Amino acid sequence: MLVSEKEPLLPQLERAGVLVDYQCREGYCSSCILKLLRGHVIYPTEPLAWVQSGYMLACCAIVKSDIEISFL
Amino acid sequence: MSYSTFNRKHFDSMKEPMFFGENVNVARYDQQKHPIFEKLIEKQLSFFWRPEEVDLSSDRKDFQNLEPHEQHIFLSNLKYQTLLDSVQGRSPNVALLPIVSLPELETWIETWAFSETIHSRSYTHIIRNIVNDPTAIFDDITVNEEITRRADSVSKYYDQLIEMVNLYNTLGVGTHTISTRGEVVINLRELKKALYLTIASVNVLEAIRFYVSFACSFAFAERTLMEGNAKIIKLIARDEALHLTGTQHMLNIMASGRDDPEMALIAEECKSEVAEIFIDAAQQEKEWSRYLFKDGSMIGLNAEILSQYVEYITNMRMQAIGLEAHFDTKSNPIPWINAWLVSDNVQVAPQEAEISSYLVGQIDNDLGDSDFDDFDL
């Protein structure tokens, strides 16, 4: 799917009909955590939740390249 | 050795480990070894709320109209949550403050525990509103076997750590003979292990145990019942998500070894024991769901679905601290819970609320030019 840099990935996934769990939608609960298999995302403000390398928070990540993701 | 409320030694607090270093002296927040705890404090303070701000007037009527088995589900969850927050309102302070060594972490622990006391106060607010005699409910918490069994497992690690820290602070490391206990060996490595396991068990409490009750509260609210309660639970869930992040950070910082290298070894050594804590808790919560639904299910939720949810969140939480998922359940069996857990629209004042029971006669504030098309002057 084609995503934009204008908003985080989560609302874009939702509009595309992909259901991702969420709670805070601002980066502290890590409910929306996804595996980032390939590609690059950035966080305009660093999220409070712990994000291990190879993972991403859909609610606040801005996609910066082609990415491949999977559910946990 | 023995705890000092104002450590007179000169040391650089930026070089101290999170725990078992120097006792904190100056409460300063201009610099932090682990800035995350300062950010968590700020966030928690911004969340401040009071239970009395939530209107529960329709809940009393709703409660009286619930079927007896639904009242059992509702009250049992409240009792269990009361137990959990009774523990969480005091234990981080009692267990962790005597051994913490960073000012920002010390204050995070206090801020965290304080917010749990708000949760406890909200249970009193809810219970006082729905029954005439709250004492009968509160008294049952200490005698009901289903609840006390849970009390044992949530307080076990805290109590062990507190006992060891008491001995460490009075007698120091070494082998001691205590009249009631015989020979007791206190060493720092065992203390650190007890600490790591305690934080892991708290993580489980906040990450899994609370969510079973949350699911039931929101299942009532899905049927437009007990909506005031759901509003309070939503605020509690927002706090708990933050606390959960706090304990995940503590565990991950410990496991990374960048705070205290020995802690990384302990974390590695405890991996299977921590996984066991998660799996045991999931098992207990599944048993709890069977107890909740023993006299009948509720629309949208039964013991089977709730157990699948327990397995699902256990998998998620285990992976968040670098453990393998244990259960086969891959997807959330109650995706509707997200809409209730979402905290970006939490507003406590009833006139701002979106609860349907308050929407009678609601005025729509969104006006466009076309809204005046029918008007002739």
Side-chain angles (χ1 to χ4, degrees):
Chain A
M1 83 185 239
L2 195 62
V3 296
S4 138
E5 288 185 23
K6 291 199 182 90
E7 59 174 349
L9 183 61
L10 181 61
Q12 303 187 61
L13 286 173
E14 286 171 335
R15 279 199 300 275
V18 182
L19 289 183
V20 180
D21 273 336
Y22 58 86
Q23 181 172 339
C24 73
R25 300 182 79 97
E26 54 173 309
Y28 65 81
C29 77
S30 62
S31 299
C32 62
I33 199 158
L34 296 170
K35 273 189 188 146
L36 178 59
L37 302 171
R38 186 172 60 84
H40 179 52
V41 299
I42 61 152
Y43 300 97
T45 50
E46 199 194 332
L48 287 187
W50 177 283
V51 192
Q52 307 166 67
S53 67
Y55 292 82
M56 62 172 286
L57 295 179
C59 72
C60 50
I62 302 289
V63 177
K64 283 295 195 186
S65 71
D66 283 354
I67 60 165
E68 201 181 323
I69 53 174
S70 78
F71 288 108
L72 254 57
Chain B
M1 185 139 14
S2 103
Y3 181 78
S4 167
T5 48
F6 194 82
N7 189 350
R8 303 300 290 270
K9 278 190 214 154
H10 288 282
F11 59 91
D12 181 357
S13 67
M14 294 288 280
K15 294 200 172 78
E16 289 300 303
M18 292 195 289
F19 296 99
F20 294 115
E22 290 291 339
N23 293 143
V24 182
N25 52 22
V26 180
R28 61 180 290 188
Y29 313 102
D30 59 319
Q31 54 174 32
Q32 306 105 26
K33 183 174 181 194
H34 297 299
I36 182 65
F37 298 113
E38 175 69 10
K39 290 181 188 153
L40 289 169
I41 295 165
E42 291 286 347
K43 196 77 182 165
Q44 183 68 66
L45 291 176
S46 78
F47 284 174
F48 182 77
W49 58 280
R50 295 179 59 208
E52 294 75 15
E53 292 166 19
V54 180
D55 176 32
L56 294 174
S57 51
S58 66
D59 287 41
R60 187 182 180 87
K61 205 163 67 277
D62 286 348
F63 182 77
Q64 283 157 357
N65 292 330
L66 291 181
E67 301 281 334
H69 75 273
E70 291 177 321
Q71 289 189 347
H72 163 77
I73 296 167
F74 188 84
L75 288 180
S76 301
N77 273 321
L78 261 182
K79 289 175 196 170
Y80 188 22
Q81 283 179 269
T82 306
L83 161 74
L84 293 179
D85 276 314
S86 302
V87 171
Q88 276 306 96
R90 68 177 71 97
S91 313
N93 288 345
V94 180
L96 306 179
L97 291 184
I99 52 175
V100 70
S101 299
L102 300 174
E104 71 275 18
L105 180 55
E106 179 185 53
T107 305
W108 164 244
I109 292 164
E110 291 169 316
T111 309
W112 164 28
F114 171 66
S115 95
E116 308 283 18
T117 68
I118 305 276
H119 303 174
S120 296
R121 298 181 66 76
S122 68
Y123 305 137
T124 296
H125 181 52
I126 295 167
I127 292 171
R128 208 157 35 190
N129 185 67
I130 56 171
V131 297
N132 294 326
D133 179 19
T135 304
I137 292 174
F138 287 124
D139 282 354
D140 190 49
I141 296 171
T142 54
V143 293
N144 180 322
E145 258 184 49
E146 290 291 334
I147 311 252
T148 52
R149 202 176 310 147
R150 269 144 199 91
D152 290 341
S153 51
V154 299
S155 57
K156 186 173 73 181
Y157 289 97
Y158 268 133
D159 292 351
Q160 278 167 5
L161 176 66
I162 289 166
E163 187 185 33
M164 286 168 78
V165 168
N166 281 343
L167 292 172
Y168 171 68
N169 273 340
T170 47
L171 303 168
V173 292
T175 306
H176 309 288
T177 309
I178 296 163
S179 56
T180 49
R181 296 275 310 274
E183 203 163 90
V184 180
V185 182
I186 295 295
N187 71 60
L188 215 45
R189 196 183 164 96
E190 285 304 308
L191 276 164
K192 287 179 182 177
K193 189 174 168 186
L195 168 68
Y196 188 76
L197 293 175
T198 301
I199 306 282
S201 113
V202 177
N203 184 248
V204 167
L205 188 160
E206 291 172 330
I208 300 169
R209 296 186 190 272
F210 270 115
Y211 280 76
V212 171
S213 305
F214 292 167
C216 293
S217 290
F218 296 140
F220 280 114
E222 279 275 300
R223 295 159 56 199
T224 67
L225 295 171
M226 312 306 288
E227 288 178 307
N229 173 72
K231 208 148 197 48
I232 286 182
I233 297 299
K234 205 168 165 160
L235 290 159
I236 292 176
R238 180 178 69 171
D239 291 337
E240 290 308 332
L242 197 65
H243 304 165
L244 169 59
T245 294
T247 44
Q248 281 173 354
H249 273 284
M250 284 183 220
L251 291 171
N252 286 324
I253 291 172
M254 285 172 178
S256 75
R258 67 188 164 94
D259 182 69
D260 174 354
E262 195 178 24
M263 267 298 185
L265 303 174
I266 290 168
E268 190 55 38
E269 183 187 309
C270 291
K271 225 168 183 171
S272 62
E273 210 169 329
V274 170
E276 226 27 68
I277 296 176
F278 273 87
I279 296 161
D280 283 351
Q283 201 49 46
Q284 290 161 8
E285 293 310 306
K286 281 156 61 176
E287 281 165 25
W288 176 249
S289 341
R290 283 193 286 276
Y291 169 72
L292 288 177
F293 296 107
K294 69 182 172 61
D295 302 322
S297 305
M298 52 195 288
I299 298 168
L301 207 55
N302 60 34
E304 183 59 30
I305 297 173
L306 200 50
S307 296
Q308 282 170 15
Y309 181 61
V310 168
E311 293 186 353
Y312 170 74
I313 52 170
T314 305
N315 278 351
M316 297 293 287
R317 308 312 194 201
M318 288 178 83
Q319 290 175 89
I321 58 160
L323 298 170
E324 296 283 317
H326 177 77
F327 297 102
D328 291 333
T329 310
K330 287 270 185 288
S331 62
N332 185 351
I334 47 169
W336 50 261
I337 199 171
N338 290 319
W340 288 100
L341 285 170
V342 69
S343 32
D344 61 355
N345 59 359
V346 173
Q347 287 171 321
V348 288
Q351 68 273 20
E352 296 169 351
E354 291 181 3
I355 49 175
S356 52
S357 55
Y358 199 85
L359 287 178
V360 181
Q362 183 88 339
I363 295 167
D364 186 355
N365 281 326
D366 294 327
L367 283 180
D369 289 345
S370 61
D371 291 317
F372 295 102
D373 286 353
D374 298 338
F375 280 76
D376 285 320
L377 290 175

